[in-house]
Amino acid sequence: MSRFRTRFLLSAAVASSLALGLTACGGGDGDSGSAAPAAATAKDGVVIGAVSNGAAKPATLTVPVNAALRAELPKSVTDSGQLVIGLGFLQGGAPPIGFVGDDQKTVTGSEPDLARLIAQEFGLKPVFHNATWDNLFVGIDSGKTDVGFSNITDTEQRKEKYDFASYRQDNLGLEVLKKSKVTFDGTADSLAGLTIAVGSGTNQEKILLEFQKELKAKGKKLTIKYYQESNSTYLALTSGKIDGYFAPNPGIAYHIVQTAGKPQATRSAGKYSGAGATLQGLICATTKKDDGLAKPLADAINLLIKDGQYAKWLATWNLANEAVPSSQINPPGLPLDNS
């Protein structure tokens, strides 16, 4: 997923709250610099899910410094004592992947938390630069940041300038009421006869329109609805005007947590690759091409997977359905004709 292909639709209340937090730590050039601190850590321990305003259940994971991983890093990085991490969550944030916490200063979310775990493995201090989406890449290009952790999709076009280490599936999902019997198995037929909401101009709209065309050829119907913002979409869902909402999976995971135990509780009815039917999209740590960081990043992620901390990280943010079996360096990405 990327800001070019899809978007999260936040409620006005959430967006307003996050905007206040981002203003509190922001700079005047669209980059908040390192003003947003890392969560507190104990020896060999990393706190994840902190100050998340209910988006996650905080946990402390034990992650020892790994000398072998540290030895893989470019000397310039180890000498600095820091892993400088680029984020692209100005303005407004995108829970649960990245936003300013309820203390109005700490950058929290699945992306910065994974970066914290990896920095700990390297024995480096995580330093965050939270910028606009465009300035995230400017920071990588200029060397201001070492690596981007910002829900960046691996694409063949981006490979011309960047190296990737994958760590999460890039998925869309179908959100339905918890009491609904709808199941989405990734096929158009499983949506036949339903009314589904989607954001206009997004990658998920493109996929849904393809499903609609396929079903029409079979004499079946899929009704697509559009709403201006998420509050209206969820009101339509709870009132039964729509059967489901097709949107980025992380945003759905966040909303499911927010509605848990309430009359309007929702669940995921299934997921679908953001890259389409023939390729599993992947979210990747992103570095400047040939800077020597992709391999140590992939090795660090794979060690977290092996030790079980990776699964705990995903579970903390309700993203277990986006797990990858291993981190790959520069895996096949979204083709040039669909980047």
Side-chain angles (χ1 to χ4, degrees):
M1 183 174 60
S2 76
R3 295 293 174 88
F4 305 120
R5 295 171 45 243
T6 189
R7 66 172 185 245
F8 293 108
L9 300 177
L10 304 177
S11 70
V14 173
S16 175
S17 172
L18 294 176
L20 287 173
L22 288 164
T23 300
C25 69
D29 60 354
D31 188 332
S32 69
S34 57
T41 59
K43 178 175 172 55
D44 291 343
V46 180
V47 178
I48 62 173
V51 294
S52 68
N53 198 26
K57 295 180 180 179
T60 301
L61 304 187
T62 300
V63 182
V65 175
N66 188 289
L69 288 177
R70 184 178 172 88
E72 293 183 31
L73 294 168
K75 187 174 184 298
S76 59
V77 176
T78 52
D79 286 351
S80 74
Q82 301 177 340
L83 186 66
V84 185
I85 300 141
L87 305 172
F89 300 120
L90 293 180
Q91 305 285 335
I97 60 172
F99 56 106
V100 171
D102 51 38
D103 65 353
Q104 302 299 304
K105 62 181 180 179
T106 302
V107 177
T108 190
S110 60
E111 308 298 88
D113 274 356
L114 180 60
R116 289 182 174 105
L117 294 171
I118 290 172
Q120 172 65 18
E121 289 181 286
F122 291 152
L124 300 174
K125 177 184 177 182
V127 176
F128 295 96
H129 286 272
N130 191 22
T132 61
W133 179 253
D134 289 342
N135 281 330
L136 160 67
F137 291 96
V138 172
I140 298 171
D141 294 343
S142 66
K144 183 177 181 179
T145 57
D146 298 315
V147 56
F149 279 91
S150 198
N151 210 55
I152 302 170
T153 299
D154 170 20
T155 76
E156 292 304 312
Q157 183 179 46
R158 288 176 182 158
K159 280 182 184 174
E160 296 172 4
K161 293 180 64 175
Y162 307 104
D163 284 328
F164 295 103
S166 60
Y167 59 84
R168 187 162 53 77
Q169 291 182 357
D170 174 13
N171 287 328
L172 304 171
L174 182 67
E175 185 175 9
V176 300
L177 291 178
K178 190 174 182 179
K179 62 184 179 182
S180 170
K181 295 182 179 180
V182 170
T183 298
F184 174 51
D185 63 7
T187 66
D189 286 330
S190 63
L191 300 180
L194 302 180
T195 299
I196 306 297
V198 72
S200 177
T202 60
N203 182 53
Q204 54 266 27
E205 180 198 23
K206 177 182 175 183
I207 292 170
L208 208 58
L209 288 171
E210 291 173 353
F211 283 158
Q212 186 183 55
K213 182 179 178 181
E214 179 183 337
L215 288 170
K216 185 177 180 180
K218 297 177 179 179
K220 300 178 182 180
K221 186 177 182 180
L222 168 61
T223 302
I224 300 175
K225 293 287 187 180
Y226 300 92
Y227 297 90
Q228 290 298 314
E229 37 79 36
S230 61
N231 281 342
S232 297
T233 303
Y234 287 123
L235 181 60
L237 183 61
T238 56
S239 65
K241 291 182 179 179
I242 60 175
D243 297 296
Y245 178 33
F246 195 47
N249 186 69
I252 287 175
Y254 173 73
H255 189 252
I256 290 170
V257 170
Q258 300 305 301
T259 63
K262 299 178 181 178
Q264 67 272 30
T266 62
R267 64 174 177 84
S268 172
K271 63 181 182 177
Y272 192 82
S273 170
T278 61
L279 178 68
Q280 175 57 61
L282 293 170
I283 301 299
C284 301
T286 304
T287 70
K288 193 172 184 178
K289 196 167 188 64
D290 298 326
D291 69 355
L293 275 171
K295 185 179 186 302
L297 285 165
D299 289 345
I301 295 165
N302 283 326
L303 184 58
L304 290 173
I305 292 172
K306 178 182 177 182
D307 290 348
Q309 307 296 40
Y310 171 82
K312 294 176 182 177
W313 161 69
L314 285 175
T316 293
W317 290 101
N318 196 31
L319 293 173
N321 64 351
E322 294 198 337
V324 294
S326 65
S327 177
Q328 303 175 61
I329 299 171
N330 293 328
L334 197 66
L336 289 171
D337 60 3
N338 193 28
S339 296

